[in-house]
């Protein structure tokens, strides 16, 4: 009887707090089958205090401009090692949600269709949908826990409203792009504080592999200013060779060569290449096929 009253109390608390924190509406009631109970009440974190929850990793999440995060946890009534924890991040935009998710993508991982896309394992599911990034961790590899891990992930994904794919994702051509290599980097690209809002992907060319990128600026003037500043920065410790008007081969000290150009509000480039001719061709294709995000 006490357990019933406890569950009713927790559910009432969740309902009462729903108006205070809209993220609660995405948390499913996994205690309905009587096999799971709330381990601790849902807690809300912001960029100011996230370090209290994930000290050492908080800065990575903050870089992607999350607004707040809700964490909730459950424990199985018959097995204290069987736990489930959900972290839901409101990233404020679909681009930020994709960006944070993309930072965890690697070719050798397992992917499934949960939300827009999910990285899955028996212990962990990460997915994004709309402006939300969701991370679910299981404390056991037992089948009933894995089943609950997946059912919870799908239940959350169904509750989250979808949004159009960020237009920034289309700025780099799909042709020859290595699947799931596309990432969004919000700041400090190539160690340059002037380079924010960067899309980067890996490409498999006929005779080479490389990385292509596009850095997005609010307007042409800001892009031109950053382009000039980058050249000046490289010249202090490296060298630059002009190939064509507004296209340079940069050779930063202690780094690989970078083929770089500016077009409108964008700076485009290719790096980590060996074949300059193929890289130039890829760069020209990306620039010519770009679409404005405004």
């Amino acid at each position: 009887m006490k357990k019933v009253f406890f569950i009713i109390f927790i559910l009432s608390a969740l309902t009462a707090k729903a108006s205070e924190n809209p993220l609660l509406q995405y948390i499913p009631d996994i205690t309905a089958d009587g096999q799971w109970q709330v381990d601790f009440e849902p807690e809300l974190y912001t960029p100011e205090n996230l370090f209290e929850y994930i000290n050492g990793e908080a800065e990575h999440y903050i870089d992607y401009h999350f607004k707040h995060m809700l964490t909730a946890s459950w424990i199985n009534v018959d097995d204290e090692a069987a736990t489930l924890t959900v972290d839901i991040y409101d990233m404020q935009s679909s681009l930020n949600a994709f960006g944070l998710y993309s930072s965890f993508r690697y070719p050798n991982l397992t992917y499934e269709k949960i939300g827009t896309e999910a990285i899955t394992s028996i212990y962990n599911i990460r997915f994004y949908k709309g402006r939300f990034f969701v991370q679910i961790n299981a404390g056991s590899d037992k089948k009933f826990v894995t089943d609950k891990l997946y059912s919870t992930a799908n239940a959350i994904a169904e509750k989250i409203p979808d949004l159009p794919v960020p237009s920034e994702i289309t700025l780099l051509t799909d042709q020859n792009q290595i699947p799931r290599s596309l990432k969004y980097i919000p700041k400090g690209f190539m160690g340059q504080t002037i380079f924010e809002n960067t899309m980067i992907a890996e490409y498999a060319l006929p005779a080479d592999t490389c990385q292509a990128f596009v850095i997005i600026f609010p307007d042409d003037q800001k892009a031109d200013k950053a382009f000039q500043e980058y050249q000046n920065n490289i010249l202090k410790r490296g060298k630059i060779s002009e190939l064509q008007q507004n296209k340079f081969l940069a050779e930063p000290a202690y780094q690989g060569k970078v083929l770089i150009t500016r077009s409108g509000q964008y700076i485009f480039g290719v790096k980590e290449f060996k074949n300059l001719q193929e890289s130039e061709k890829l760069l020209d294709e990306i620039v010519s096929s770009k679409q404005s995000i405004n």
Side-chain angles (χ1 to χ4, degrees):
M1 184 63 71
K2 288 183 178 180
K3 183 185 294 184
V4 173
F5 283 131
F6 176 74
I7 292 173
I8 292 174
F9 172 78
I10 292 296
L11 291 177
S12 298
L14 290 176
T15 303
K17 289 186 176 182
S19 59
E20 302 173 17
N21 181 10
L23 292 181
L24 282 170
Q25 66 183 301
Y26 304 118
I27 300 291
D29 176 20
I30 75 169
T31 65
D33 61 5
Q35 298 302 305
W36 296 81
Q37 65 184 26
V38 174
D39 193 17
F40 59 80
E41 285 195 62
E43 297 177 352
L44 185 69
Y45 290 89
T46 67
E48 287 70 34
N49 68 351
L50 185 63
F51 70 92
E52 297 176 2
Y53 183 63
I54 49 172
N55 190 23
E57 298 181 16
E59 197 63 35
H60 179 67
Y61 291 80
I62 292 169
D63 283 348
Y64 285 92
H65 311 296
F66 85 96
K67 182 179 181 181
H68 47 217
M69 182 273 282
L70 182 75
T71 182
S73 183
W74 300 267
I75 187 168
N76 186 264
V77 296
D78 298 318
D79 185 350
E80 63 180 14
T83 60
L84 203 66
T85 302
V86 172
D87 299 337
I88 301 180
Y89 290 81
D90 183 345
M91 303 303 300
Q92 304 193 75
S93 76
S94 56
L95 178 60
N96 290 336
F98 166 78
L100 181 55
Y101 170 80
S102 72
S103 70
F104 295 102
R105 292 204 297 191
Y106 294 94
N108 61 334
L109 300 180
T110 301
Y111 297 89
E112 297 186 39
K113 182 67 174 75
I114 301 174
T116 302
E117 182 184 273
I119 302 167
T120 64
S121 73
I122 57 175
Y123 287 106
N124 178 277
I125 292 177
R126 292 185 175 107
F127 73 87
Y128 79 102
K129 182 181 179 183
R131 71 173 197 266
F132 296 95
F133 170 77
V134 180
Q135 191 166 260
I136 310 175
N137 297 311
S140 169
D141 61 355
K142 294 180 179 178
K143 184 179 182 303
F144 78 92
V145 181
T146 302
D147 290 344
K148 184 61 73 172
L149 174 72
Y150 273 80
S151 64
T152 301
N154 281 296
I156 294 172
E158 289 176 5
K159 289 173 175 284
I160 294 175
D162 208 352
L163 290 175
V165 173
S167 56
E168 292 86 350
I169 288 178
T170 67
L171 288 171
L172 290 175
T173 180
D174 290 336
Q175 187 174 359
N176 296 318
Q177 187 181 120
I178 296 175
R180 296 189 174 93
S181 67
L182 182 67
K183 297 179 184 292
Y184 170 62
I185 300 173
K187 60 188 293 187
F189 179 62
M190 294 196 300
Q192 300 287 322
T193 58
I194 55 174
F195 287 167
E196 301 180 344
N197 301 322
T198 302
M199 305 300 305
I200 184 169
E202 297 179 15
Y203 285 82
L205 305 179
D208 200 4
T209 58
C210 62
Q211 294 182 346
F213 61 85
V214 54
I215 309 168
I216 307 157
F217 294 87
D219 53 51
D220 297 15
Q221 291 73 27
K222 287 184 173 60
D224 183 61
K225 181 180 179 181
F227 190 61
Q228 298 299 326
E229 187 172 336
Y230 175 70
Q231 293 178 57
N232 294 334
N233 290 344
I234 298 303
L235 287 173
K236 292 176 182 178
R237 295 186 177 181
K239 67 177 184 178
I240 284 183
S241 306
E242 184 173 7
L243 303 178
Q244 298 175 19
Q245 184 178 8
N246 230 21
K247 183 190 290 184
F248 296 88
L249 179 64
E251 299 183 58
Y254 313 113
Q255 295 183 28
K257 296 178 180 180
V258 180
L259 183 62
I260 193 165
T261 188
R262 187 186 74 80
S263 178
Q265 69 183 102
Y266 312 106
I267 291 176
F268 294 93
V270 179
K271 67 188 191 78
E272 297 191 10
F273 60 87
K274 296 183 178 69
N275 189 308
L276 179 60
Q277 184 177 2
E278 282 199 345
S279 296
E280 276 198 89
K281 182 180 178 181
L282 173 61
L283 182 61
D284 291 341
E285 289 174 355
I286 291 172
V287 173
S288 64
S289 66
K290 77 177 188 304
Q291 299 178 4
S292 175
I293 63 172
N294 292 333

